[in-house]
Amino acid sequence: MNTTTQMSDSALVSLYISGNENAFEQLVNRHKNKVFTTIVLIVKDTYTAEDLMQDAFIKAIHTMKSGRYNEEGKFSSWICRIAHNLAIDFFRKEKRSPMITLEDGSNVFNTLAFAADSAESLQIKEDTCVRLRELIQTLPQTQREVLMMRHYADMSFQEIADATGVSINTALGRMRYALINLRKKMLNGNIAYDKNIYSE
């Protein structure tokens, strides 16, 4: 019988760092379902989630092999945090145009009259999208995450709460402050927006 199956995560990590490859296999088997769920809740695509899950474990390998693994936290929380960050990074790198919407379906471009056949108007809209993405990146991390999960990944607030390990009220609060801060940044940058969305 394989004795590593009965060991704690901490013991398995120590064994793996010492050179026991089977110890890491046990860690993967224990936590892969939770890691996959963490990612798929955000990216909403099983193929992408599988790729990012592999990336998460590869990153864990590099961290442990380099001696940078911190024993203070639980391995399961640590690997899920890596997975969560990779999923968020996935959307950060995607060249998607954010459509910041509220519950009534209105979006940030509602008050902008872009002609469908005008190249100039389309360029203005694209430039605004790029600037909006840049402004989103300047938000505090917790606010940025909930905004990206809500509007890039189309997650419900309950899903966001589950994925980030907070209450639904906390998730809602972070979203509110993210929109308030984004509105202020857009005002300061003279970027057109729908005032109905960003009113406090």
Side-chain angles (χ1 to χ4, degrees):
M1 183 177 173
N2 193 335
T3 55
T4 57
T5 57
Q6 307 301 318
M7 291 183 172
S8 67
D9 286 349
S10 181
L12 287 171
V13 169
S14 297
L15 259 184
Y16 176 65
I17 291 172
S18 300
N20 187 323
E21 296 295 326
N22 184 60
F24 189 74
E25 186 180 334
Q26 291 297 330
L27 287 168
V28 171
N29 288 336
R30 277 184 196 178
H31 301 290
K32 62 183 180 182
N33 289 339
K34 187 175 182 181
V35 170
F36 180 81
T37 301
T38 297
I39 297 170
V40 82
L41 271 173
I42 299 172
V43 301
K44 299 293 183 82
D45 180 81
T46 56
Y47 295 107
T48 301
E50 286 170 3
D51 288 342
L52 291 175
M53 179 176 68
Q54 290 182 21
D55 290 345
F57 282 113
I58 289 170
K59 190 167 185 178
I61 287 172
H62 291 322
T63 301
M64 288 189 284
K65 288 291 191 181
S66 67
R68 290 181 288 118
Y69 176 68
N70 187 342
E71 281 286 354
E72 290 178 11
K74 289 172 57 179
F75 178 83
S76 60
S77 300
W78 178 67
I79 191 66
C80 284
R81 191 163 61 250
I82 290 175
H84 175 265
N85 291 338
L86 284 173
I88 293 296
D89 286 343
F90 169 78
F91 282 103
R92 189 175 300 156
K93 292 170 185 173
E94 285 281 284
K95 298 300 182 184
R96 299 188 182 189
S97 296
M99 296 300 290
I100 310 301
T101 59
L102 289 189
E103 299 301 324
D104 63 0
S106 59
N107 68 67
V108 75
F109 296 116
N110 273 1
T111 60
L112 303 178
F114 293 117
D117 58 349
S118 168
E120 182 182 2
S121 294
L122 291 175
Q123 184 60 51
I124 292 171
K125 184 173 182 179
E126 176 58 28
D127 290 345
T128 304
C129 287
V130 170
R131 185 67 185 121
L132 190 55
R133 281 197 294 270
E134 291 172 354
L135 290 177
I136 289 171
Q137 296 310 315
T138 67
L139 292 171
Q141 182 181 350
T142 53
Q143 295 175 22
R144 184 173 67 243
E145 285 181 351
V146 71
L147 189 67
M148 294 177 78
M149 287 177 169
R150 178 67 176 153
H151 296 295
Y152 282 65
D154 195 29
M155 294 171 69
S156 69
F157 283 108
Q158 185 60 61
E159 289 173 329
I160 292 169
D162 292 342
T164 56
V166 299
S167 70
I168 192 165
N169 284 338
T170 298
L172 287 165
R174 288 175 178 176
M175 184 64 184
R176 177 175 178 269
Y177 285 116
L179 290 173
I180 290 171
N181 286 334
L182 192 60
R183 176 177 60 84
K184 289 176 181 176
K185 291 175 185 293
M186 293 174 79
L187 275 173
N188 292 336
N190 293 319
I191 298 174
Y193 70 95
D194 187 339
K195 292 179 176 58
N196 293 324
I197 293 178
Y198 297 100
S199 57
E200 295 183 46

